[in-house]
Amino acid sequence: MKIRTIKQIHNLKNKRVLVRVDFNVPLEKGKVAEDARLIASLPTIEHLIKKGAKVILVSHLGRPEGFDKKLSLSPVAKRLENLMGRQVKLLKIERLKDYRNEVVDQISKMKNDEVVMLENIRFFPDEAKDENNFGKTLSGIADIFVLDGFAVVHRDSGSVTGVAKHLPSYAGLLLEKEIVGLSKAIEKPKKPFVLVLGGAKMETKLPVLKNLLSKADYVLIGGGIFNTYLWAKGCKVGKSLIDKEYKNEALKLLKNKKVILPVDFVVGKENGDKARVQDTSYKIQVTNNEAIYDIGPQTIRLYARYIKKAQTIVWNGAMGYFEQKPYDVGTLSIARLVASRSKGKAFGIIGGGETLQAMEKVKMMEFVDLVSTGGGAMLEFLSGQRLPGLKLLTK
Ligand code: 3PG
């Protein structure tokens, strides 16, 4: 996929550039708890400033319904200021009516090395579906539009696609990096290509499985997908996470020869009590108040064999309930295996909130080739869907 990027813009001097980032980050006690998405967009922001542009950042935070003080981008602007060593002026929303004039006024006063950030764009109800010409109005405050938030590229909203219809539009460096990396894995992957798929929800994972089954050599399964499969086969799985709606699809897709299923798993109580390993070749015994919470040791050993041979690895989704010991072993082992094989021997990609948390826990993030900032966006891209945010940037 070829997209227009900011490297192709010749003259940025004094141009007002509206940059749609995704700074939807977790907050704790009014402070940014995890700043990876901020750091990921720094190269784009710095590139634009270096070329003399006036940078106006736009992001959402959470899913507010109208103005919500708790979801102000104020802590985000502060953290960005620290990270960049530059002033980041947050344009608060006191009076929605005058907001546009205020923004235009502030931008005209901007100093060259300063950055302006608009308050949470989802405070405007028209943003979600680009109603009442929201994107068009937003485009009035800038000369150029840059989409850098890969994590929001699947949203057909005013600040993603709406504004792009009215301004010359380009991808930022983060968006470019993610698209190039993900395309490399799914268009012409170096073989063997191993896909590791876990997590709780079937709804977002099955389309990925469907789309990548023809390209991947092996698909290693864990989490809710496996539980649903066992349940669909008639096994008693107690309180395990399953998705009843996908019974038939699970049965059909997971029978494919490329799909490698766990040969054992860890079952027990939610708090870790009575945790024990069960082999899938024996009668499955999960009582009503127990659940399957992890893949077992034989499965880790089996999956290691595939990961150690892979030339391309894509991993999305935990193997189990890794937040609770002793159910963390499977997911953390997969994290170590994927990171150990990446950068050099294989091209390794990971994405999704839980997957990143697991990699963070084993402190091996730096060894992964591409750490995607997108959860839902990455899954939709891997499912082969045409993402709305990319359509307008395609060459
Ligand atoms: C995400 O965190 O996946 C993105 O910021 C998109 O958020 P949304 O699902 O609320 O649109």
Side-chain angles (χ1 to χ4, degrees):
M1 175 184 293
K2 288 213 166 121
I3 48 175
R4 288 188 305 277
T5 79
I6 53 172
K7 291 180 209 149
Q8 289 158 260
I9 313 175
H10 297 301
N11 183 12
L12 277 162
K13 190 108 193 102
N14 288 325
K15 292 277 190 315
R16 298 165 305 166
V17 183
L18 192 72
V19 188
R20 179 45 161 116
V21 285
D22 189 325
F23 288 168
N24 185 23
V25 292
L27 300 180
E28 258 169 44
K29 295 186 185 144
K31 288 197 175 138
V32 171
E34 159 55 60
D35 60 8
R37 281 187 177 176
L38 273 60
I39 293 170
S41 268
L42 290 181
T44 298
I45 303 171
E46 289 296 346
H47 172 94
L48 295 169
I49 295 175
K50 222 184 261 166
K51 300 270 174 187
K54 293 185 172 187
V55 175
I56 309 151
L57 300 174
V58 183
S59 178
H60 71 280
L61 181 63
R63 291 176 175 173
E65 284 172 19
F67 183 77
D68 179 352
K69 211 173 161 210
K70 289 195 294 298
L71 290 174
S72 165
L73 279 169
S74 184
V76 175
K78 275 199 197 103
R79 175 63 70 91
L80 189 65
E81 211 163 55
N82 290 340
L83 286 170
M84 299 204 331
R86 298 178 188 280
Q87 207 189 345
V88 178
K89 202 179 255 173
L90 180 73
L91 298 188
K92 299 218 166 115
I93 301 179
E94 306 295 344
R95 299 166 307 276
L96 275 180
K97 211 164 115 284
D98 302 335
Y99 191 59
R100 188 177 176 276
N101 294 341
E102 222 167 279
V103 172
V104 173
D105 185 47
Q106 291 284 351
I107 292 166
S108 67
K109 290 186 200 145
M110 263 175 89
K111 296 188 203 106
N112 266 352
D113 59 351
E114 198 177 68
V115 169
V116 159
M117 186 188 284
L118 305 191
E119 185 49 287
N120 191 344
I121 203 70
R122 287 192 181 165
F123 287 170
F124 296 93
D126 289 337
E127 149 71 1
K129 291 190 185 138
D130 191 22
E131 283 164 321
N132 298 315
N133 282 324
F134 186 75
K136 189 172 180 197
T137 309
L138 201 57
S139 72
I141 63 170
D143 307 302
I144 293 170
F145 175 62
V146 171
L147 180 56
D148 202 42
F150 173 73
V152 85
V153 80
H154 58 319
R155 297 289 179 232
D156 201 358
S157 70
S159 66
V160 178
T161 48
V163 67
K165 290 177 194 148
H166 304 282
L167 286 176
S169 303
Y170 302 86
L173 303 176
L174 171 66
L175 182 60
E176 183 193 19
K177 186 171 108 184
E178 299 227 23
I179 298 301
V180 169
L182 287 169
S183 305
K184 188 168 159 181
I186 63 172
E187 279 165 16
K188 272 193 191 152
K190 276 200 174 169
K191 303 280 195 162
F193 170 18
V194 174
L195 171 67
V196 188
L197 216 47
K201 288 188 203 143
M202 297 281 279
E203 186 193 350
T204 50
K205 303 293 159 70
L206 282 186
V208 177
L209 187 58
K210 265 190 212 159
N211 189 42
L212 294 186
L213 256 181
S214 59
K215 292 168 184 143
D217 297 288
Y218 304 105
V219 185
L220 315 180
I221 297 288
I225 316 175
F226 172 58
N227 304 344
T228 305
Y229 175 72
L230 282 184
W231 168 79
K233 278 197 344 173
C235 302
K236 288 211 164 58
V237 294
K239 292 196 319 188
S240 306
L241 270 181
I242 54 166
D243 229 326
K244 293 188 175 167
E245 214 182 306
Y246 297 97
K247 182 178 177 179
N248 294 336
E249 259 182 297
L251 278 176
K252 197 174 122 211
L253 283 169
L254 299 191
K255 271 192 188 135
N256 190 297
K257 272 199 200 128
K258 291 180 177 179
V259 173
I260 314 297
L261 290 164
V263 289
D264 60 354
F265 57 84
V266 184
V267 58
K269 299 231 166 137
E270 194 177 344
N271 64 1
D273 281 356
K274 297 206 170 157
R276 61 199 182 276
V277 176
Q278 277 197 32
D279 196 308
T280 53
S281 48
Y282 299 112
K283 187 170 185 301
I284 292 181
Q285 298 191 353
V286 183
T287 63
N288 285 345
N289 55 5
E290 291 178 331
I292 298 170
Y293 285 121
D294 196 9
I295 53 171
Q298 292 294 343
T299 307
I300 297 172
R301 196 173 145 83
L302 173 72
Y303 286 6
R305 289 218 296 270
Y306 290 101
I307 294 171
K308 283 179 183 169
K309 275 192 233 149
Q311 299 267 340
T312 304
I313 308 169
V314 175
W315 176 31
N316 186 297
M319 296 290 105
Y321 181 28
F322 74 102
E323 294 86 349
Q324 173 68 55
K325 278 182 193 294
Y327 308 127
D328 55 346
V329 179
T331 303
L332 300 188
S333 302
I334 296 296
R336 290 190 181 99
L337 286 162
V338 170
S340 305
R341 181 73 193 168
S342 297
K343 277 220 175 136
K345 296 188 192 95
F347 186 73
I349 300 178
I350 65 166
E354 286 187 338
T355 314
L356 266 54
Q357 268 173 38
M359 196 54 85
E360 190 58 54
K361 272 197 171 187
V362 300
K363 305 261 173 277
M364 293 183 82
M365 200 76 95
E366 66 193 279
F367 303 115
V368 179
D369 294 271
L370 178 65
V371 178
S372 179
T373 55
M378 177 188 175
L379 291 171
E380 286 197 23
F381 189 86
L382 294 178
S383 309
Q385 295 181 39
R386 251 174 90 69
L387 303 177
L390 293 184
K391 275 187 209 157
L392 295 152
L393 307 177
T394 313
K395 278 182 191 165

